[in-house]
Amino acid sequence: MDGLRLERRDAVGLGDIRAQLLDVYAEIYADRLGEEFHSVARFDERLGWNTEVPGFAAAVGYLDDTPVGYAYGCTLQPDTRWWSGLRTPVPEEATAETGTRTFALSELMVVEKIRGTGAAKLIHDELLRGRPEDRVTLLVERDHPKVRALYEAWGYEWFGEVLPFSDAPLYDAMMLRLSP
């Protein structure tokens, strides 16, 4: 996408743009902010949890100096709760985390005016560039089959059904193997 500038951030580097990222979230989820799970406060809480986990990274896309999309995640640790809401039976070793095996892509979002331009894929790829983990996992809401299809086009495969929090929507967990 012409004019899109990508910038990588760690947890410390996210602090000075956090308010702007919350604004992007509020714009994208404007029609769902009344739901407790999708409120800005709950999102900010989840973002905070992520920044405290080893391996946290973010990629932010800017047009001019305004953030228009971003992705972030962290490396799943051995004591992660990421898989605790998994409803699909899988072999135990499939969810055993070592602290180096799996990068959890927690959020990927772009504002409406740049959807369909390839910006989301650019932000996604920037976030994952050079990651040392073997695989990436993400959750996509069951009610968003077009988003799931997009991730499948990028190489993700369905892994299982997840309810990460009691008040969360139902998600499909997806997995992507990273090249060595």
Side-chain angles (χ1 to χ4, degrees):
M1 173 181 179
D2 289 341
L4 185 71
R5 177 174 56 86
L6 299 173
E7 190 174 285
R8 293 170 74 129
R9 298 274 181 141
D10 60 13
V12 173
L14 201 65
D16 63 330
I17 63 165
R18 192 170 181 145
Q20 291 174 296
L21 299 185
L22 295 177
D23 289 345
V24 170
Y25 176 85
E27 179 181 336
I28 292 168
Y29 284 92
D31 61 335
R32 298 183 76 182
L33 294 178
E35 300 170 25
E36 177 62 24
F37 181 78
H38 287 97
S39 71
V40 173
R42 281 287 295 279
F43 173 75
D44 192 32
E45 183 178 277
R46 291 189 300 272
L47 174 59
W49 294 340
N50 274 266
T51 62
E52 296 171 3
V53 178
F56 174 84
V60 183
Y62 294 88
L63 284 179
D64 300 316
D65 289 327
T66 304
V68 292
Y70 57 94
Y72 69 82
C74 58
T75 307
L76 294 181
Q77 301 302 299
D79 63 348
T80 186
R81 296 183 319 177
W82 182 270
W83 301 117
S84 62
L86 187 64
R87 295 176 156 198
T88 307
V90 298
E92 191 173 318
E93 64 271 7
T95 59
E97 297 301 342
T98 63
T100 59
R101 179 183 193 198
T102 309
F103 183 78
L105 195 162
S106 295
E107 292 287 345
L108 171 60
M109 59 183 82
V110 295
V111 297
E112 189 169 346
K113 73 178 181 180
I114 65 163
R115 289 188 189 146
T117 66
K121 179 77 162 105
L122 292 171
I123 292 168
H124 169 272
D125 291 353
E126 180 64 20
L127 176 65
L128 299 183
R129 183 176 49 84
R131 294 294 321 173
E133 296 86 2
D134 299 330
R135 61 190 193 168
V136 178
T137 186
L138 58 79
L139 304 179
V140 61
E141 280 191 48
R142 266 277 165 94
D143 291 344
H144 295 126
K146 288 182 181 179
V147 177
R148 179 179 163 173
L150 179 67
Y151 288 129
E152 288 171 338
W154 294 355
Y156 284 85
E157 296 178 353
W158 184 82
F159 183 77
E161 186 178 276
V162 177
L163 186 65
F165 302 97
S166 61
D167 64 342
L170 189 59
Y171 287 88
D172 285 322
M174 302 188 78
M175 196 77 70
L176 173 69
R177 292 267 168 220
L178 292 175
S179 302

